[in-house]
Amino acid sequence: MRTFFPSDSCKESQLNAINPQSWLQVERGKLSKLSSSHTNSSSIESFIKVPEPPILPFFKPIDYVEVLAQIHEEMESCSPQERSTLYLLQFQIFRGLGETKLMRRSLRSAWQRAGTVHEKLVFGAWLRYEKQGEELIADLLATCNKCAQEFGPVDVSQLQVEVNGCSKETVVMNGDKSLKNVNFKIGDEIIVCDRQKIASLSAPFHAMLNGYFTESSSQDIDLSENNISPLGMRTIGEFSITGSLSEVHPDLLLEILVFSNKFCCERLKDACDRKLASLVCTKDDAVEFMEYAIEQNSPVLAASCLQVFLHELPDCLNDERVVEIFSHADRQQRSIMVGQASFSLYCLLSEVAMNLDPRSDKTVCFLEQLIESAETDREKLLAFHQLGCVRLLRKEYDEAEGLFEKAVSLGHVYSIAGLARLGYIKGHKLCSYEKLSSVISSVNPLGWMYQERSLYCEGDKRSEDLEKATELDPTLTYPYMYRAASLMMKQNVQAALAEINRVLGFKLALECMELRFCLYLAIEDYKAAIRDVQAILTLSPDYRMFEGRVAASHLRTLVREHVGSWTTADCWMQLYDRWSSVDDIGSLSVIYQMLESGGAKGVLYFRQSLLLLRLNCPDAAMRSLELARRHASSEHERLVYEGWILYDTGHCEEGLRKAEESIKISRSFEAFFLKAYALADSGLDSSCSSTVISLLENALKCPSDNLRKGQALNNLGSVLVDCGKLDSAADCYINALKIRHTRAHQGLARVHFLKNDKATAYVEMTNLIEKAKNNASAYEKRSEYCDRDLTKADLEMVTRIDPLRVYPYRYRAAVLMDSRKEKEAIAELSRAIAFKADLHLLHLRAAFHEHVGDVLAALRDCRAALSVDPNHQEMLELRSRVNSHEP
């Protein structure tokens, strides 16, 4: 789900307040003033609110690794027609894990391996919907003579329709053999047709003209009562001879279509079906023709209409005519409209409808259709759970309860959270607590179970459950928010801020940013508050705070009155300071203010995009890059931004071409930097390395500010290290540090290490840790330059700062394995795998399972890992090896 699924399901909370490296080798590859004397718990409570976590409409199996492995195994033996549906289920699992990149890859795989035209239509439309706003990429690729296939239309004429026509070889059983023609009378007109050619159109015509009916010996036959016009009959006569339909008006085609259905003229019907399909251009066309397509069982026409509807998602769902078509189709009508891809279609429509308004009637209708379309247990439990979530939002509690119960009966344990929430709403708090306790005691517990149970208890029990939730799944934001708000209620300001900063250190969640903004307002730290709200607006320009009641932009205007103004020079100094201290959120805020003040917007939007990429916000980064392109001050600058857009979307060669075009117009820092960056990424052999070095040296000769020059020096140092030129690399890093490019400490540390000066490397990384606001990666890198005890301490710090970084788990597991503590080693990996689907974690655990002889567990992890990356060579080799041991 691309948008926040709001929670209205429950009353507001009380707050409303050894050598491990050997193992690691296996996977290398305006506001009321709140003065301090009046800052009490009731005034804070008035605007610091933590809504309860929503019941998410996602497929969340207890053991996602097991389910991924099952799906992968099924893919190995399923028919081509089943494969796309399995990729859709894989997509649903990754969505429940919040793995956006893996979700898109699964969708793309479903589209690429679609076995039918209907699947190609649905998954192509889904990819296009997921990539809304990325049409620019297709346009840029077109300028490089390359096509973005998923944005293109599908040729529905490829749809295979079984045509059971009468053989052209006809046998006269009882008719008058001397009658060569037949005269069809329609009103006052006579249409002369070739008798046997008409007879060959269908079995009914053959029986009429050659069988035991009186018409078989009649020259003249009256068809006036059969709703066919003289022109229509002439066209049919011509078709019987030529086998094709020439230029025919759509109204006439519809008339002939109805006639061909009545007389079972399959070839004629198919020709009409395909001809009409080619005429569907607009949504209005599609609405009109879809009715005929369904009534006349015309699948090609229906597919053409469907393609138009899906191409206009999400806007077409604001048209009640379109919603009516999708909402009230029965099983047969769905089959005509979308063949065997009904479940996939309604998954897509439900997704779009929930993003528009999860409480809407159309969302309910589409989910009901999804239930009707579901065939397997996994499909059914997903559909029941999703409709249960929507019924819960609509406060249709009895209906929601029945749906959640059905999902649970099919094995979806997460739906018990829905049942518990409903029990709480109905006043059965203890029952809800016991329900979750039963789940926790009967399965391998997950973070969401403790988070949900915490809602049904108080005091220490709640705190314990929330701590356990964070331990099991640190990605859950509610526990941090609750604890921060609780501490603020106790007027423990610094502890509250420290708690919310824990999660913001590795997960830039808007709801957490909003809470921190509120905390800063409460203590009247308006500078910090303006920083956060400006960062929020950078990430989501239309964001609304306080449960959607107030636009963040309005709050920014009010807070701005309490903060002094900066000149342009002040802004650049502030940006320089924040960039140098690796304060990415602070840097975002400064750039937001600079953009409001005017200036070179193209350059500023580009800097913004770099920060957003560093913060792992690729969608927001792409939006900033597109704004940079739109505000470029020259053609050569625009070409650079286009090159970055292409490079960041995986089109490296085309990105390089844009850089070269820009250099031909003007030799600029950014053009040379882009070319060097893209070339270095494409493959760094010795000849390529020298070219990259030359390009970066050319970039450094061009005008630019120290922020960018520091990056170029850092990159140049990195290439020089790879080429073994350590002294030259050290000079680059030292020069970068002179202009306060703080990250150069890491490169310089590497040089010292390669010169066998581990102690100096450690000191260099310590300098980086002390200067950088975001320093998890620095601790991780420093761990390589110290003894085992210090390494262990650094990696424990990494996990505390950013529990999503996987290397510390792998290292600790490897140490345990070398100490022959196999169970503990596997458990260390498993605690990270529980909340992060990571190839390297799965790979290492598979290797451990193989080592201890647990072939089935190893094979399971191999299959799950290949669901994450199907082409990982070492993983493929490990699976092959494990397969050979399978009993």
Side-chain angles (χ1 to χ4, degrees):
M1 197 74 53
R2 66 175 59 227
T3 55
F4 174 61
F5 199 84
S7 174
D8 190 34
S9 59
C10 202
K11 301 171 185 175
E12 287 187 342
S13 65
Q14 294 279 333
L15 283 172
N16 268 336
I18 354 179
N19 180 20
Q21 295 300 326
S22 62
W23 276 111
L24 300 182
Q25 294 297 325
V26 300
E27 76 266 76
R28 288 222 181 267
K30 194 162 190 184
L31 299 170
S32 332
K33 208 160 164 69
L34 296 171
S35 66
S36 56
S37 59
H38 292 89
T39 305
N40 52 44
S41 62
S42 61
S43 63
I44 295 170
E45 185 179 356
S46 66
F47 67 98
I48 296 179
K49 298 183 179 182
V50 180
E52 289 168 352
I55 306 299
L56 300 169
F58 301 152
F59 181 23
K60 296 173 76 70
I62 291 294
D63 185 351
Y64 77 86
V65 173
E66 183 68 42
V67 181
L68 282 176
Q70 289 169 2
I71 291 172
H72 191 273
E73 184 177 11
E74 290 170 30
M75 284 180 184
E76 293 174 337
S77 58
C78 71
S79 67
Q81 291 75 22
E82 296 173 302
R83 191 163 285 120
S84 286
T85 305
L86 290 170
Y87 277 115
L88 175 56
L89 288 168
Q90 188 185 82
F91 161 85
Q92 298 290 357
I93 293 170
F94 289 138
R95 187 171 73 162
L97 291 165
E99 297 285 355
T100 306
K101 286 184 180 179
L102 297 178
M103 287 162 55
R104 285 196 176 180
R105 207 212 55 231
S106 293
L107 273 186
R108 189 169 182 82
S109 295
W111 174 74
Q112 288 173 329
R113 292 162 177 79
T116 68
V117 169
H118 293 116
E119 288 175 336
K120 204 79 173 176
L121 280 176
V122 171
F123 290 113
W126 205 328
L127 278 170
R128 193 163 52 246
Y129 173 70
E130 288 289 327
K131 294 183 176 184
Q132 285 179 88
E134 292 185 20
E135 292 82 358
L136 172 63
I137 297 165
D139 294 340
L140 293 178
L141 286 172
T143 66
C144 301
N145 300 315
K146 188 174 180 180
C147 175
Q149 293 179 320
E150 65 266 33
F151 288 101
V154 175
D155 182 5
V156 297
S157 67
Q158 296 176 3
L159 185 62
Q160 299 298 311
V161 180
E162 187 176 346
V163 178
N164 296 315
C166 192
S167 172
K168 292 186 179 182
E169 297 291 329
T170 60
V171 178
V172 180
M173 293 179 290
N174 195 47
D176 190 337
K177 297 180 182 179
S178 65
L179 297 177
K180 181 180 179 182
N181 294 329
V182 59
N183 303 325
F184 291 114
K185 182 181 179 184
I186 300 173
D188 297 330
E189 294 193 40
I190 300 294
I191 295 88
V192 180
C193 298
D194 185 304
R195 191 180 195 92
Q196 297 312 318
K197 295 292 185 182
I198 293 295
S200 71
L201 290 177
S202 70
F205 268 129
H206 185 273
M208 177 195 291
L209 300 175
N210 295 324
Y212 298 97
F213 294 89
T214 55
E215 290 88 349
S216 64
S217 56
S218 301
Q219 179 83 32
D220 302 317
I221 299 174
D222 193 344
L223 289 181
S224 300
E225 302 300 321
N226 286 279
N227 297 316
I228 188 72
S229 67
L231 181 56
M233 198 64 224
R234 287 194 189 93
T235 304
I236 293 168
E238 291 173 8
F239 176 84
S240 70
I241 297 169
T242 66
S244 63
L245 292 167
S246 55
E247 295 301 316
V248 182
H249 192 278
D251 290 343
L252 188 59
L253 281 171
L254 289 170
E255 180 186 304
I256 296 170
L257 177 64
V258 175
F259 181 87
S260 66
N261 237 354
K262 181 175 182 179
F263 286 91
C264 304
C265 305
E266 295 295 333
R267 287 190 296 115
L268 177 60
K269 176 191 171 184
D270 186 61
C272 286
D273 190 7
R274 295 178 186 278
K275 193 75 174 179
L276 284 164
S278 69
L279 302 176
V280 183
C281 299
T282 67
K283 183 178 67 178
D284 289 339
D285 291 339
V287 169
E288 179 183 356
F289 285 130
M290 184 64 93
E291 181 180 353
Y292 283 97
I294 291 174
E295 285 181 357
Q296 303 302 322
N297 190 13
S298 301
V300 184
L301 177 57
S304 185
C305 296
L306 178 64
Q307 177 160 230
V308 171
F309 293 150
L310 296 181
H311 188 78
E312 295 192 17
L313 285 174
D315 295 342
C316 75
L317 295 190
N318 294 320
D319 189 324
E320 288 303 319
R321 300 172 302 168
V322 176
V323 173
E324 183 78 15
I325 290 168
F326 288 132
S327 298
H328 296 98
D330 59 26
R331 187 181 185 88
Q332 181 180 356
Q333 291 167 340
R334 291 194 302 268
S335 178
I336 295 167
M337 183 165 55
V338 70
Q340 299 301 307
S342 182
F343 183 79
S344 302
L345 172 64
Y346 284 98
C347 266
L348 169 58
L349 295 176
S350 300
E351 170 94 358
V352 178
M354 281 193 277
N355 287 334
L356 290 171
D357 181 4
R359 296 178 177 86
S360 68
D361 291 341
K362 64 189 166 199
T363 301
V364 171
C365 288
F366 293 158
L367 286 168
E368 288 174 339
Q369 288 281 25
L370 185 65
I371 290 171
E372 289 288 323
S373 303
E375 295 181 356
T376 68
D377 284 352
R378 285 190 296 232
E379 291 174 351
K380 289 175 182 176
L381 68 83
L382 172 65
F384 285 133
H385 178 74
Q386 288 191 325
L387 185 53
C389 290
V390 169
R391 295 288 190 192
L392 181 58
L393 278 178
R394 288 161 61 97
K395 301 183 180 180
E396 297 166 353
Y397 299 136
D398 291 340
E399 294 91 335
E401 185 173 24
L403 290 159
F404 285 136
E405 285 174 346
K406 288 178 181 177
V408 171
S409 71
L410 291 166
H412 195 230
V413 176
Y414 179 62
S415 295
I416 290 176
L419 291 172
R421 200 70 67 94
L422 285 164
Y424 179 55
I425 289 167
K426 294 177 179 180
H428 309 306
K429 186 175 179 179
L430 180 58
C431 181
S432 295
Y433 182 88
E434 291 173 345
K435 201 180 292 287
L436 268 300
S437 296
S438 177
V439 173
I440 289 168
S441 64
S442 60
V443 299
N444 235 357
L446 298 172
W448 66 261
M449 299 174 186
Y450 285 97
Q451 174 179 272
E452 188 65 26
R453 193 174 72 169
S454 74
L455 304 177
Y456 314 125
C457 55
E458 303 297 336
D460 290 343
K461 282 188 176 181
R462 174 173 281 194
S463 297
E464 288 168 8
D465 275 359
L466 289 173
E467 286 295 342
K468 190 66 177 179
T470 299
E471 176 190 327
L472 294 173
D473 187 353
T475 68
L476 297 171
T477 59
Y478 175 77
Y480 302 96
M481 295 173 69
Y482 183 92
R483 286 190 293 261
S486 295
L487 288 163
M488 196 66 184
M489 292 285 284
K490 297 171 184 175
Q491 302 189 40
N492 194 340
V493 177
Q494 294 308 313
L497 288 169
E499 182 63 31
I500 202 64
N501 285 337
R502 280 178 64 194
V503 64
L504 286 170
F506 65 90
K507 185 176 183 178
L508 206 56
L510 292 175
E511 65 270 23
C512 295
M513 291 284 288
E514 178 182 348
L515 178 59
R516 191 169 74 174
F517 167 78
C518 292
L519 297 179
Y520 282 128
L521 285 186
I523 62 173
E524 299 181 14
D525 187 345
Y526 298 120
K527 288 183 179 180
I530 198 75
R531 178 202 63 200
D532 281 358
V533 75
Q534 288 180 165
I536 288 170
L537 288 166
T538 300
L539 292 161
S540 181
D542 299 321
Y543 190 76
R544 300 184 69 84
M545 294 185 173
F546 303 113
E547 300 175 327
R549 294 193 296 270
V550 186
S553 56
H554 181 57
L555 285 169
R556 178 194 175 271
T557 302
L558 298 175
V559 176
R560 192 79 184 84
E561 296 178 13
H562 298 270
V563 181
S565 298
W566 288 346
T567 65
T568 301
D570 290 334
C571 286
W572 276 106
M573 288 180 64
Q574 290 292 334
L575 180 59
Y576 197 64
D577 286 344
R578 284 160 174 73
W579 201 289
S580 299
S581 61
V582 198
D583 178 3
D584 296 334
I585 292 176
S587 298
L588 277 181
S589 178
V590 175
I591 289 176
Y592 185 94
Q593 193 159 325
M594 293 171 79
L595 283 165
E596 190 181 62
S597 304
K601 289 196 172 184
V603 171
L604 291 171
Y605 278 122
F606 177 59
R607 302 295 171 85
Q608 188 181 79
S609 74
L610 298 174
L611 289 164
L612 289 165
L613 279 176
R614 213 150 71 186
L615 288 164
N616 195 28
C617 302
D619 293 340
M622 185 56 61
R623 183 174 66 241
S624 295
L625 262 181
E626 291 176 3
L627 287 167
R629 175 183 178 271
R630 193 183 307 167
H631 290 89
S633 60
S634 62
E635 184 182 357
H636 69 83
E637 183 185 342
R638 175 181 57 77
L639 286 165
V640 168
Y641 302 147
E642 290 179 353
W644 281 114
I645 289 169
L646 290 166
Y647 174 81
D648 286 346
T649 53
H651 305 287
C652 184
E653 186 180 332
E654 291 74 23
L656 270 170
R657 195 181 306 176
K658 292 290 183 180
E660 289 162 357
E661 289 177 33
S662 179
I663 291 170
K664 287 178 182 178
I665 298 170
S666 177
R667 294 167 62 85
S668 70
F669 173 92
E670 292 298 351
F672 281 119
F673 188 92
L674 167 60
K675 186 175 179 181
Y677 198 95
L679 194 59
D681 191 46
S682 63
L684 208 56
D685 56 29
S686 57
S687 60
C688 181
S689 297
S690 60
T691 305
V692 172
I693 290 169
S694 177
L695 288 166
L696 287 170
E697 287 172 343
N698 283 328
L700 287 164
K701 294 172 186 176
C702 299
S704 186
D705 60 75
N706 284 343
L707 293 177
R708 293 299 283 155
K709 288 205 170 185
Q711 182 66 65
L713 284 165
N714 195 64
N715 288 16
L716 179 55
S718 180
V719 179
L720 289 167
V721 167
D722 291 337
C723 295
K725 300 176 180 180
L726 300 183
D727 291 335
S728 297
D731 290 341
C732 287
Y733 291 128
I734 290 167
N735 288 332
L737 288 170
K738 286 177 181 178
I739 54 177
R740 296 175 63 191
H741 186 78
T742 308
R743 292 177 188 270
H745 282 295
Q746 183 168 320
L748 191 55
R750 184 183 174 200
V751 170
H752 290 309
F753 178 71
L754 292 172
K755 289 183 173 183
N756 296 317
D757 189 352
K758 202 172 178 181
T760 306
Y762 183 88
V763 170
E764 205 64 53
M765 289 308 301
T766 303
N767 290 334
L768 176 56
I769 289 168
E770 290 169 351
K771 293 178 183 179
K773 189 175 182 69
N774 301 318
N775 56 18
S777 63
Y779 275 106
E780 184 172 297
K781 196 66 184 174
R782 191 177 72 170
S783 72
E784 297 179 18
Y785 308 138
C786 51
D787 60 32
R788 172 161 295 188
D789 289 341
L790 290 175
T791 294
K792 183 179 178 182
D794 274 355
L795 292 178
E796 288 293 346
M797 179 62 77
V798 173
T799 300
R800 283 200 294 276
I801 297 171
D802 184 356
L804 299 183
R805 299 184 74 91
V806 301
Y807 175 77
Y809 301 99
R810 292 161 50 210
Y811 180 91
R812 288 188 292 264
V815 170
L816 288 164
M817 201 67 179
D818 279 341
S819 302
R820 300 189 177 183
K821 297 178 180 179
E822 292 91 350
K823 289 183 179 180
E824 293 89 339
I826 291 170
E828 178 65 24
L829 295 172
S830 297
R831 73 178 179 120
I833 289 169
F835 58 84
K836 186 172 179 63
D838 179 80
L839 172 72
H840 303 295
L841 293 172
L842 288 164
H843 190 179
L844 190 57
R845 193 172 73 172
F848 285 2
H849 282 309
E850 183 195 29
H851 179 75
V852 300
D854 192 341
V855 175
L856 293 178
L859 190 56
R860 176 204 61 202
D861 284 354
C862 285
R863 287 176 171 147
L866 289 169
S867 300
V868 174
D869 183 355
N871 302 312
H872 192 272
Q873 191 58 42
E874 292 178 33
M875 198 70 249
L876 289 166
E877 291 169 4
L878 178 57
R879 186 191 62 171
S880 178
R881 189 167 71 243
V882 171
N883 259 330
S884 67
H885 301 310
E886 187 180 16

